[in-house]
Amino acid sequence: MLTLQYIGTNYHGWQVQPNAVTVQQCVQDAIERVTGVRSPLTGCSRTDAGVHAEMFCCVTETEATIPCDKLVAALNAWLPLDMAVTDCREVTADFHPRYDARGKQYQYRIWNRPARNPFLEGRALHVKRPLDVAKMQRAAKDFLGKHDFSAFCAVGSEVEDRVRTVTQSTVTAENGMVTFTVAADGFLYNMVRIMVGTLLDIESGKLAEGCIPSLLSAGDREAAGHTAPACGLYLTQVYYDG
Amino acid sequence: MLTLQYIGTNYHGWQVQPNAVTVQQCVQDAIERVTGVRSPLTGCSRTDAGVHAEMFCCVTETEATIPCDKLVAALNAWLPLDMAVTDCREVTADFHPRYDARGKQYQYRIWNRPARNPFLEGRALHVKRPLDVAKMQRAAKDFLGKHDFSAFCAVGSEVEDRVRTVTQSTVTAENGMVTFTVAADGFLYNMVRIMVGTLLDIESGKLAEGCIPSLLSAGDREAAGHTAPACGLYLTQVYYDG
């Protein structure tokens, strides 16, 4: 199992696509350079184009006898500079980085000052008007618990069971950065970005304060907020047992 | 007076050069776009190629009657995305951003984990071996006070008075990032980068612990440490009276 970090800006998400560069493809290329064999690589999630990862886990199988710590250095020599392997460990053959994950944590970062921040270009959403953080904090609490998140799932997703349990949902503000942190046992397609769009629409008054419980029970994607841009989204933790 | 932030990676430093793109030139271009006139622009310091600024001050003169807050937004629309104006205020005609500065603060950032950090690519020096931070902290204290910093000035500098007063010189470590913070009434050419190279050479044992006082009194650049790379250096504060 490899643990990765990457800046998603230059990639069309995780998963290999026919005509676009992806993170998965770059990691497979690096593994092939090091081991001489192109191996399947299974990820813990399909991050979208432009989404970043501070922790992403993926699993491959290799006959190579390189020790784990040497493999980290060898892969990093071949990977593009906007991604890196931070850890490598042996797992059992039946381990699956997606199905065996107990849950994940994402952060959505909003730079909330009038002027752009060049250090956060492509790494946070820029909102110029001063956000009412207390209002967003009150709204974020309504995501907590076990709900059908159909209203917070992109149209076209084929997932049938849309019940997820959100265990953390907070909004913090520090030095101009407003951060939404959310953990759950699983996430639907675009779920965090629609949650953030909904929080921003509640903040601006476009959606009514206290509307989240009724959005959840109605399950209508059209009634929820907009999909916030990918650039602010980070996969920050993947939780496994043991 | 404009306050700027920029990522120095893509620029040959602040000052306009005949055949290389610089920060000064980009800001002058943006001012010309907004006001219609190309005006002289005086900076608070000459940062080197690859050095970053979280706070950089520069002064121009304009006949334009655009209010300061509108000017910030207008300039940011024309500036490259790796730089931004964060503040604009009127100053008296005799104000000089360099000579009127009481002092400046720089930070030098070192990513100190075995694996690369893609989010810090070009934004911190990567040192893989675990640094003895306590040893660096002890050495950094020796820079405090009023000294002739000739040993910490790049060969070829034409500055005659090399006496500077260092008022802050600390090394901190947090979540893998080792940060050297130094404030002084002024800095010589490459001074912070040579200070950092010297701290790293003391840490590694290449230079003797406790050598800084004798390096300062001898004033020999050759006896001090190496010049650390530009990518870890940030101008973080410029201090003015009032």
Side-chain angles (χ1 to χ4, degrees):
Chain A
M1 178 163 83
L2 302 171
T3 306
L4 309 177
Q5 291 193 325
Y6 56 84
I7 301 176
T9 312
N10 297 331
Y11 302 94
H12 293 264
W14 163 258
Q15 187 148 318
V16 163
Q17 291 183 22
N19 294 304
V21 65
T22 66
V23 178
Q24 186 183 33
Q25 170 198 323
C26 292
V27 178
Q28 281 184 308
D29 288 350
I31 293 170
E32 186 175 353
R33 292 276 191 179
V34 172
T35 66
V37 180
R38 190 156 196 93
S39 314
L41 186 66
T42 310
C44 65
S45 128
R46 298 186 192 175
T47 60
D48 283 340
V51 174
H52 317 295
E54 289 188 346
M55 180 182 181
F56 186 99
C57 297
C58 54
V59 167
T60 191
E61 232 181 298
T62 178
E63 301 286 316
T65 55
I66 309 162
C68 276
D69 59 324
K70 301 275 184 221
L71 198 56
V72 171
L75 291 173
N76 283 335
W78 287 108
L79 285 172
L81 294 177
D82 49 11
M83 57 181 77
V85 176
T86 58
D87 190 62
C88 173
R89 60 187 63 191
E90 287 186 47
V91 289
T92 55
D94 62 343
F95 180 85
H96 194 289
R98 187 165 171 193
Y99 303 129
D100 288 345
R102 269 196 298 111
K104 296 191 192 84
Q105 184 197 62
Y106 284 90
Q107 285 195 341
Y108 195 95
R109 299 178 188 164
I110 301 169
W111 176 244
N112 189 32
R113 290 273 166 86
R116 287 194 283 111
N117 181 328
F119 295 98
L120 298 174
E121 191 56 39
R123 302 191 186 186
L125 175 66
H126 183 202
V127 174
K128 295 179 187 183
R129 67 187 154 89
L131 290 171
D132 182 342
V133 174
K135 196 175 180 183
M136 294 173 73
Q137 286 168 333
R138 288 193 298 275
K141 283 186 190 153
D142 289 336
F143 288 128
L144 287 168
K146 188 174 178 177
H147 307 286
D148 184 316
F149 279 92
S150 293
F152 297 87
C153 178
V155 174
S157 165
E158 287 170 13
V159 176
E160 289 192 3
D161 177 11
R162 295 174 174 196
V163 175
R164 298 292 184 272
T165 301
V166 171
T167 52
Q168 183 183 19
S169 177
T170 60
V171 177
T172 56
E174 194 183 0
N175 297 325
M177 183 72 95
V178 175
T179 303
F180 172 57
T181 305
V182 59
D185 56 355
F187 287 88
L188 301 167
Y189 187 48
N190 278 357
M191 181 165 147
V192 182
R193 291 167 58 188
I194 302 170
M195 290 167 115
V196 171
T198 301
L199 292 176
L200 289 170
D201 287 347
I202 290 169
E203 194 278 337
S204 72
K206 201 179 158 196
L207 289 174
E209 211 175 341
C211 70
I212 289 173
S214 52
L215 290 174
L216 287 166
S217 54
D220 176 11
R221 169 68 192 93
E222 293 301 304
H226 70 280
T227 305
C231 67
L233 186 59
Y234 293 72
L235 177 56
T236 46
Q237 292 283 339
V238 191
Y239 304 111
Y240 296 105
D241 286 321
Chain B
M1 178 163 82
L2 302 172
T3 306
L4 309 177
Q5 292 194 323
Y6 56 83
I7 301 175
T9 313
N10 296 331
Y11 302 94
H12 293 264
W14 163 257
Q15 186 149 318
V16 165
Q17 292 184 20
N19 293 306
V21 64
T22 66
V23 178
Q24 185 183 35
Q25 168 198 324
C26 292
V27 178
Q28 283 184 306
D29 287 350
I31 293 170
E32 186 174 356
R33 292 276 191 177
V34 172
T35 66
V37 179
R38 191 158 196 92
S39 314
L41 185 66
T42 310
C44 65
S45 126
R46 297 186 194 177
T47 61
D48 283 341
V51 174
H52 317 294
E54 289 187 345
M55 181 182 180
F56 186 98
C57 296
C58 55
V59 167
T60 190
E61 233 181 299
T62 178
E63 302 285 316
T65 55
I66 309 164
C68 274
D69 58 325
K70 303 273 185 222
L71 198 57
V72 171
L75 291 172
N76 283 336
W78 287 109
L79 285 171
L81 293 176
D82 51 9
M83 57 180 76
V85 176
T86 57
D87 190 64
C88 173
R89 59 187 63 190
E90 288 186 45
V91 290
T92 54
D94 63 342
F95 179 86
H96 194 288
R98 187 166 170 191
Y99 304 129
D100 288 346
R102 269 196 297 113
K104 296 191 191 84
Q105 184 196 62
Y106 283 90
Q107 284 195 342
Y108 195 93
R109 299 179 188 164
I110 301 169
W111 177 244
N112 188 33
R113 289 274 166 85
R116 287 195 282 112
N117 182 329
F119 296 96
L120 297 174
E121 191 55 41
R123 302 190 185 187
L125 175 66
H126 183 201
V127 174
K128 296 179 189 185
R129 66 187 153 89
L131 290 170
D132 182 341
V133 174
K135 196 174 180 185
M136 293 172 73
Q137 285 167 334
R138 288 193 297 275
K141 283 187 191 152
D142 288 336
F143 289 127
L144 286 168
K146 188 174 179 176
H147 307 286
D148 183 316
F149 280 92
S150 293
F152 297 87
C153 178
V155 174
S157 165
E158 287 170 12
V159 176
E160 290 193 1
D161 177 11
R162 296 176 175 194
V163 175
R164 298 291 183 272
T165 301
V166 171
T167 52
Q168 182 183 19
S169 177
T170 61
V171 177
T172 58
E174 194 184 1
N175 297 326
M177 183 73 96
V178 175
T179 303
F180 172 57
T181 304
V182 59
D185 56 354
F187 288 88
L188 301 166
Y189 187 49
N190 279 356
M191 180 165 147
V192 182
R193 292 168 58 187
I194 301 169
M195 290 167 114
V196 171
T198 301
L199 292 177
L200 288 171
D201 287 347
I202 290 169
E203 194 280 337
S204 72
K206 201 179 157 194
L207 288 174
E209 211 175 342
C211 70
I212 290 174
S214 52
L215 290 175
L216 287 166
S217 54
D220 175 11
R221 169 68 192 94
E222 293 301 303
H226 70 280
T227 305
C231 67
L233 186 59
Y234 293 72
L235 176 56
T236 46
Q237 293 283 339
V238 191
Y239 304 110
Y240 296 105
D241 286 322

